């Protein structure tokens, strides 16, 4: 068995930045303030467990404490709505804004387009934190998950406002061909749709590296959290290319049948720490030696 790693894999700039900011906030607040994140800081169980053991607590935005005057709240890379940011500030929380600069750009674009009268379509997963956060900057935007839904929503809007100025924004992790499909579905009703390129370069690079890797391997492991949208997307891309692929959160998840494949690929989502990638690669190499 031979192991080939994707050329680009693991932590992206936004996740690395959020992790560093959380580490620094914990250090600065040690013994003085409680430190929270709104929802999990990143979608990786090992990293979350490590932070939990250092005292980082997870806040549920539906049950915010009345008084946050002695607390530090870290806004994670996905960002939050401006309404929630105001609510936290009103409760006295000291905010550490770890919103990824790429996501921040989408939020600002949604805000400025709304201000000049655009009707916005937002392509992505309705329940994802990033999408919810962007929606806060464009409350009337239409969230669409696939071309079918986009067409339906565009048709409805066309009936009530055929001359509407429209724009399309997307979740940073959406696959380019999916984004294009959604854009085309809207353009059937609004040919002048303004398509904003919001796909993150880190996502694109990881997806591109995986597509390049697929033809060279017989099976593939994608290291990362099951809750991570970009990791799940990598798995879907590998499967769409006809590869047998598994998502592995930890070494114990490596399927024993992987040994049957002569060449195995290893990719990893943008929230997968280097340590985990290293451990999985080591375990695969051990399996390789045993087989030899
Ligand atoms: S995947 Fe892109 S948008 Fe998301 S946190 Fe990483 S750099 Fe930012």
């Amino acid at each position: 068995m031979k192991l080939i790693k994707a050329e680009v894999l693991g932590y992206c700039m936004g996740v690395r930045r959020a992790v560093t900011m959380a580490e620094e906030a914990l250090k600065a607040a040690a013994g003085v303030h409680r430190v929270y994140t709104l929802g999990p800081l990143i979608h990786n169980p090992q990293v979350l467990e490590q932070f939990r053991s250092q005292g980082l607590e997870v806040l549920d935005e539906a049950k915010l404490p009345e008084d946050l005057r002695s607390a530090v709240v870290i806004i994670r890379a996905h960002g939050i709505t401006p309404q929630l940011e105001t609510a936290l500030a009103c409760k006295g929380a000291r905010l550490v804004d770890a919103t990824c600069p790429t996501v921040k750009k989408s939020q600002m674009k949604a805000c400025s387009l709304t201000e000049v009268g655009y009707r916005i379509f937002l392509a992505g997963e309705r329940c994802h934190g990033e999408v919810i956060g962007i929606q806060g900057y464009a409350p009337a935007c239409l969230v669409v998950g696939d071309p079918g839904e986009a067409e339906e929503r565009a048709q409805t809007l066309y009936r009530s406002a055929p001359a509407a100025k429209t724009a399309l924004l997307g979740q940073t992790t959406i696959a380019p061909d999916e984004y294009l499909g959604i854009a085309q579905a809207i353009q059937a009703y609004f040919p002048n749709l303004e398509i904003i390129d919001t796909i993150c370069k880190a996502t694109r690079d990881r997806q591109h590296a995986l597509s390049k890797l697929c033809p060279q391997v017989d099976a593939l492991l994608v290291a990362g959290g099951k809750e991570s949208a970009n990791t799940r997307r990598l798995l879907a891309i590998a499967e769409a290319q006809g590869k047998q692929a598994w998502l592995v959160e930890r070494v114990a998840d490596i399927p024993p049948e992987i040994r049957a494949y002569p060449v195995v690929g290893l990719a990893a989502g943008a929230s997968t720490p280097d340590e985990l990638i290293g451990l999985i690669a080591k375990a695969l190499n051990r399996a390789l030696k045993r087989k030899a």
Side-chain angles (χ1 to χ4, degrees):
M1 188 176 97
K2 184 180 163 195
L3 175 67
I4 309 179
K5 277 200 213 174
E7 278 171 12
V8 187
L9 75 177
Y11 272 0
C12 61
M13 166 277 293
V15 168
R16 207 175 282 282
R17 178 174 173 272
V19 168
T20 305
M21 287 173 87
E23 284 167 351
E24 284 168 359
L26 279 166
K27 222 184 278 171
V32 186
H33 304 294
R34 293 177 82 161
V35 184
Y36 298 101
T37 54
L38 272 167
L41 183 70
I42 66 169
H43 288 141
N44 184 273
Q46 290 93 341
V47 176
L48 292 180
E49 180 48 37
Q50 206 174 324
F51 271 124
R52 199 194 56 75
S53 69
Q54 290 168 14
L56 187 62
E57 299 173 66
V58 178
L59 266 186
D60 178 350
E61 68 176 86
K63 296 178 201 150
L64 289 182
E66 267 318 302
D67 189 352
L68 283 168
R69 269 175 299 181
S70 61
V72 173
V73 178
I74 301 165
I75 299 175
R76 57 190 179 156
H78 293 151
I80 58 173
T81 65
Q83 297 79 6
L84 184 53
E85 207 170 317
T86 306
L88 288 165
C90 288
K91 286 174 184 287
R94 295 150 197 249
L95 297 179
V96 173
D97 190 357
T99 307
C100 173
T102 308
V103 175
K104 191 46 99 188
K105 233 163 104 186
S106 296
Q107 292 176 342
M108 293 301 104
K109 194 72 192 173
C111 185
S112 61
L113 286 169
T114 301
E115 277 170 7
V116 293
Y118 275 83
R119 291 304 307 270
I120 296 174
F121 290 85
L122 177 57
E125 297 168 71
R126 185 163 282 105
C127 299
H128 193 280
E130 180 191 325
V131 171
I132 295 168
I134 295 171
Q135 256 185 298
Y137 287 86
C141 79
L142 302 163
V143 179
V144 290
D146 55 51
E149 195 181 2
E151 191 182 341
E152 217 173 277
R153 293 296 194 109
Q155 190 183 47
T156 309
L157 179 63
Y158 184 77
R159 281 194 197 122
S160 61
K165 284 193 294 182
T166 54
L168 174 65
L169 293 154
Q171 194 173 338
T172 50
T173 48
I174 198 165
D177 53 346
E178 208 177 322
Y179 198 45
L180 184 66
I182 287 174
Q184 285 168 344
I186 301 167
Q187 279 171 325
Y189 294 90
F190 297 98
N192 294 328
L193 174 75
E194 209 167 303
I195 305 165
I196 315 293
D197 184 2
T198 51
I199 302 178
C200 160
K201 184 176 178 312
T203 302
R204 225 189 277 263
D205 288 350
R206 277 151 192 76
Q207 291 176 356
H208 180 68
L210 176 74
S211 298
K212 220 170 128 191
L213 178 64
C214 277
Q216 305 172 52
V217 301
D218 302 300
L220 211 119
L221 295 186
V222 181
K226 293 190 175 89
E227 299 298 319
S228 157
N230 73 82
T231 304
R232 287 199 310 264
R233 182 75 60 194
L234 291 178
L235 183 75
I237 292 172
E239 287 172 344
Q241 293 201 22
K243 290 294 156 191
Q244 178 70 60
W246 293 267
L247 194 156
V248 288
E249 274 192 341
R250 59 198 82 227
V251 171
D253 295 338
I254 299 174
E257 57 266 43
I258 198 78
R259 295 200 200 103
Y261 294 91
V263 186
V264 173
L266 177 60
S271 50
T272 310
D274 300 341
E275 298 77 20
L276 178 65
I277 298 170
L279 286 173
I280 291 172
K282 223 162 143 187
L284 284 169
N285 279 323
R286 268 202 307 272
L288 166 78
K289 276 188 198 133
R290 271 206 303 273
K291 210 184 166 212

